[in-house]
Amino acid sequence: MNQPILLFIKFITCLIAFGIGLDLFFDANFVDILSFSLFVTFASYVVGELVILPQLGRRAAAVADFLLSYLSVWIFGSILFENYLQIAWGSIISAIIITGAEIVIHLMVQNRDEHTTYKSKRNSILNSNLAYGTEISEEEYIKDVNKIKK
């Protein structure tokens, strides 16, 4: 999937999720929703799509996206909002909606095989040309070894 299209889909998803979680049930202004959406979009793209999804897979990336969106509203919401009920319910509702959308996005991204080519392009840590073996041999003078042991 094309990266700008992916970022646009993530941004629209975050706008809808934070609009429902923070503005529909509670009173949040558009600047708060826009700032949360921008932050979660770029943070989940960098952390989820570029780091966790290629390394650990879809399930770990979905869990990371849930935690990122939940904690971002919880931490930054405690600074911006004075109603703790708004912070608690807004963060859980937004995180569930964003995680559901991210699962669909991860399926679309992995079906396009962009991350499988990323995995194959990475340099492996271990050099496959080195021989990792052990040398096994028998002692030539077994009688001398028995004398040493006694």
Side-chain angles (χ1 to χ4, degrees):
M1 177 177 280
N2 196 359
Q3 300 304 322
I5 293 172
L6 178 68
L7 283 171
F8 181 72
I9 291 171
K10 284 174 140 326
F11 180 69
I12 295 299
T13 301
C14 289
L15 271 177
I16 292 169
F18 290 128
I20 291 171
L22 296 175
D23 192 36
L24 186 63
F25 297 116
F26 304 102
D27 188 26
N29 58 14
F30 184 70
V31 176
D32 294 335
I33 294 171
L34 189 65
S35 63
F36 281 125
S37 298
L38 284 173
F39 174 74
V40 170
T41 297
F42 289 113
S44 72
Y45 175 72
V46 170
V47 172
E49 307 296 326
L50 297 180
V51 177
I52 295 177
L53 184 62
Q55 300 291 328
L56 300 175
R58 289 188 308 238
R59 185 176 296 158
V63 169
D65 287 329
F66 177 83
L67 289 174
L68 179 73
S69 60
Y70 180 77
L71 290 175
S72 66
V73 174
W74 191 265
I75 292 169
F76 296 122
S78 64
I79 297 169
L80 296 174
F81 307 127
E82 60 274 347
N83 187 0
Y84 287 113
L85 189 62
Q86 179 182 10
I87 296 168
W89 281 106
S91 62
I92 195 72
I93 291 169
S94 301
I96 290 172
I97 294 170
I98 289 173
T99 304
E102 288 292 329
I103 290 171
V104 174
I105 290 172
H106 293 161
L107 287 172
M108 291 182 347
V109 168
Q110 280 198 331
N111 284 342
R112 300 285 183 191
D113 291 330
E114 286 183 12
H115 289 292
T116 56
T117 57
Y118 173 74
K119 269 186 173 179
S120 64
K121 287 181 183 177
R122 286 185 317 179
N123 294 332
S124 96
I125 296 171
L126 299 175
N127 188 354
S128 61
N129 295 331
L130 297 175
Y132 294 107
T134 58
E135 183 178 326
I136 299 174
S137 65
E138 293 185 19
E139 298 295 328
E140 291 182 21
Y141 303 106
I142 198 138
K143 293 179 183 179
D144 293 337
V145 174
N146 288 335
K147 289 180 186 176
I148 295 174
K149 284 185 182 179
K150 292 180 183 180

